[in-house]
Amino acid sequence: MTAVRGQDSPVVQLPTGRLRGTEEDGITVFRGVPYAAPPVRELRWRAARPHPGWSGTRDATSYGPSAPQMFTEGGDPVLGGHGSPPFDDDCLTLNVWTPAPDEARRPVLVWIHGGGFVSGSGSLPVYSGETFARDGDLVVVTLNYRLGPLGYLSFDEKDQTPDQPSNLWLTDQLAALRWVHENIDRFGGDPANVTVAGQSGGAVSTAALAGHPEARRLLRRVILQSPPFGLYAPTRAEYRERVDAYLRCAGVADIAELRSLPWERLVEASGGLFAHTARWGQWLTPFLPVRDGITLDRHPAQTLLEDAAADIDVLIGWTREEANFAFALDPAYAAATREQVLGRIALGFGEAAAPDVYAAYTCTRPGAGPADVLMDLIADELFRVPSLRLAEARAELGRPVWVYQFDFPAPAYGGRLGAAHCLELPFVFDNFDHWQHAPLVAGIDPAVRAGLARSMHRAWIAFARTGDPNHADLPRWDRYRTDARTTMRFDSVTLPVDDLAGHARRLHDRRLPARE
């Protein structure tokens, strides 16, 4: 059913009820659309369930609440204030941008935000879908899902049932994809041509979704921006110590007490878990995806090599200096010593190899100090090398995969951020007006910004439409194959480079065996 007009606003009829959206600069927008039942009271720490629906016509002109989280507006030295809607545990809503809610059956782009599994929101203006809808004739969906303790912890220690998985965040995202599959045609979208894209933690989510048994009918391709695939995905038993630590931080004995607490107390207790899990030279991640045997059987990256995900088109990449985002502005790491960094290297390579690995990193960046070596090491082990390993494995299987590296350095903070984690986002969305608050993008030359944004934004559009990122404003971008290892290097001059990250790949071949 196509939309009808009501009081000069578009109205769409869904199985759950009627929605009234708005028109903005020629794009029709529906915000704050419920895709699952509110996960509150008895549904807290339960798998997402269908929304019961509503009577009358629901206003869909304002964003829904963001998931509860610790980080408030204005506190981030890199991203600045986010302008996020208020937090609330009734947060399972999504937003839709469409050129028109008609019967055109346009390609669909679903965006899953990042934020280290503890922060972020699909309701942030930086993820607004109007540029993709306008420039690519796409239908764009962004969503909110449970974060931190409400999304990444499970407290049922007696048995595992489909209603009590560890990865509640994944049940939310699956519910959103089911909603897209069942409803997006009413917004002018094609449920048989869905691309899911995500950045950072959202890219891990995207990989997990692609490998889910339902993937074949829910999506056709994925875009993975800076996935931290180097993070270990523990089993439920291995994760138990962290769950117990959280209970101690919350000052309660069991889940019965937790269910009665307001979400503000639950989020506050996360601060204690941050402190409990902090380790020098490690990217701080107190909450993790868990191999629970219900929603996730293997590491999210591994899911892209097997089962339903084998034939899904994949575009994957990273920024050159991912780790600078977390470490470059931290005085504690600016004062890092060679001995500290050697100890950190030894965790992955062994003590005997650590000096040679340190020397190899200094060769790739003349004048590098200990902090530079540490950041390059973390960028490689957490982002670049695991992504390369995935691309290599898919290429060896003959599966479609395109690889990129984002090299453009941020001029902010005297250039200390480099091509940091998150920096590619405004170029991909081509929406710098929404990033005016962010020190990360300050001082970028407007001409360079426009050209690089055009290259990336239109490549993402082309991939979402056809499964191939090539377009007229981009040099030829070949699929990644093990004979050439072609990687598109996005910079002020964008060019394909063969085996661009070969040094990191060969160096990390020397790592000690990883945990299974």
Side-chain angles (χ1 to χ4, degrees):
M1 177 182 292
T2 57
V4 297
R5 294 287 170 182
Q7 299 179 354
D8 296 323
S9 297
V11 175
V12 168
Q13 178 69 54
L14 305 181
T16 47
R18 289 164 64 89
L19 290 172
R20 175 174 289 114
T22 184
E23 288 192 6
E24 300 173 2
D25 297 326
I27 299 299
T28 302
V29 188
F30 296 84
R31 295 184 173 93
V33 181
Y35 67 82
V40 299
R41 296 182 291 277
E42 70 277 4
L43 294 186
R44 180 180 280 180
W45 290 300
R46 297 293 182 191
R49 296 183 179 180
H51 196 278
W54 56 87
S55 59
T57 301
R58 183 185 181 100
D59 180 79
T61 60
S62 300
Y63 287 116
S66 299
Q69 53 197 271
M70 293 177 63
F71 302 100
T72 57
E73 184 174 342
D76 192 303
V78 177
L79 298 180
H82 297 313
S84 174
F87 303 147
D88 194 84
D89 49 358
D90 179 3
C91 63
L92 301 187
T93 63
L94 53 76
N95 315 294
V96 182
W97 288 261
T98 178
D102 52 24
E103 298 178 354
R105 298 183 74 83
R106 299 172 179 85
V108 180
L109 178 65
V110 177
W111 176 258
I112 301 181
H113 72 79
F117 315 126
V118 296
S119 67
S121 172
S123 300
L124 295 176
V126 294
Y127 301 137
S128 177
E130 81 270 7
T131 53
F132 279 115
R134 180 191 67 229
D135 302 334
D137 196 33
L138 304 176
V139 177
V140 184
V141 178
T142 67
L143 59 118
N144 294 330
Y145 56 95
R146 283 174 283 182
L147 301 168
L150 290 165
Y152 287 81
L153 293 182
S154 178
F155 300 94
D156 187 350
E157 59 189 23
K158 295 180 181 179
D159 61 355
Q160 292 177 243
T161 68
D163 196 46
Q164 189 58 39
S166 297
N167 302 299
L168 298 167
W169 55 275
L170 187 54
T171 73
D172 296 345
Q173 294 166 5
L174 280 166
L177 275 189
R178 293 185 194 111
W179 185 96
V180 169
H181 184 77
E182 295 164 2
N183 295 286
I184 205 65
D185 60 335
R186 295 173 170 85
F187 298 86
D190 182 359
N193 191 6
V194 174
T195 298
V196 180
Q199 185 264 351
S200 193
V204 173
S205 296
T206 300
L209 287 166
H212 193 273
E214 291 188 58
R216 286 189 187 276
R217 74 182 186 91
L218 297 179
L219 60 94
R220 286 183 59 179
R221 56 190 68 96
V222 295
I223 301 174
L224 308 171
Q225 299 175 215
S226 301
F229 283 152
L231 292 174
Y232 182 62
T235 64
R236 192 177 176 114
E238 291 169 330
Y239 203 55
R240 184 68 215 187
E241 186 276 334
R242 198 163 291 198
V243 173
D244 290 340
Y246 177 81
L247 289 171
R248 293 192 297 272
C249 293
V252 300
D254 54 36
I255 189 173
E257 292 184 70
L258 280 179
R259 287 194 188 279
S260 66
L261 296 180
W263 64 257
E264 291 88 349
R265 284 279 305 280
L266 302 175
V267 172
E268 182 181 2
S270 299
L273 194 59
F274 268 86
H276 175 78
T277 57
R279 301 291 185 272
W280 191 89
Q282 302 279 1
W283 195 288
L284 192 53
T285 50
F287 301 99
L288 294 166
V290 175
R291 291 178 286 136
D292 62 353
I294 301 172
T295 51
L296 200 59
D297 291 326
R298 55 185 70 90
H299 191 288
Q302 188 68 23
T303 66
L304 285 164
L305 301 176
E306 303 177 24
D307 305 330
D311 295 323
I312 289 174
D313 299 325
V314 175
L315 192 158
I316 185 170
W318 53 85
T319 71
R320 187 180 60 207
E321 287 111 4
E322 295 273 9
N324 290 27
F325 179 92
F327 297 95
L329 303 182
D330 188 333
Y333 290 100
T337 66
R338 183 176 184 273
E339 289 68 30
Q340 284 177 307
V341 177
L342 284 172
R344 175 64 178 78
I345 293 172
L347 295 177
F349 292 83
E351 291 186 11
D356 287 344
V357 173
Y358 187 99
Y361 271 110
T362 61
C363 289
T364 62
R365 191 193 295 198
D372 299 311
V373 171
L374 175 67
M375 289 186 290
D376 286 349
L377 170 76
I378 295 170
D380 280 348
E381 69 180 14
L382 194 58
F383 298 97
R384 180 171 22 240
V385 172
S387 295
L388 271 175
R389 297 287 186 240
L390 173 61
E392 294 268 316
R394 285 187 62 90
E396 288 174 0
L397 292 171
R399 305 303 185 186
V401 57
W402 282 262
V403 175
Y404 74 89
Q405 178 173 296
F406 183 86
D407 274 27
F408 183 75
Y413 297 102
R416 281 183 289 163
L417 290 174
H421 191 64
C422 294
L423 182 55
E424 90 286 3
L425 286 169
F427 294 91
V428 166
F429 278 82
D430 195 10
N431 63 347
F432 280 87
D433 288 347
H434 291 313
W435 285 80
Q436 292 177 355
H437 63 276
L440 182 68
V441 301
I444 297 176
D445 179 83
V448 173
R449 186 178 77 182
L452 181 52
R454 183 169 57 252
S455 294
M456 295 196 79
H457 182 60
R458 295 193 180 279
W460 267 236
I461 288 171
F463 186 79
R465 295 191 64 84
T466 68
D468 186 327
N470 284 283
H471 61 90
D473 294 319
L474 192 70
R476 175 66 192 174
W477 186 353
D478 291 329
R479 283 170 52 170
Y480 191 91
R481 295 181 175 87
T482 53
D483 58 345
R485 298 185 171 93
T486 301
T487 302
M488 186 59 73
R489 180 179 179 266
F490 285 104
D491 202 341
S492 53
V493 176
T494 294
L495 291 170
V497 179
D498 288 348
D499 206 12
L500 177 60
H503 177 272
R505 177 176 53 80
R506 291 186 292 271
L507 181 60
H508 281 254
D509 282 341
R510 302 167 57 184
R511 287 182 65 86
L512 299 174
R515 286 188 291 176
E516 294 295 329

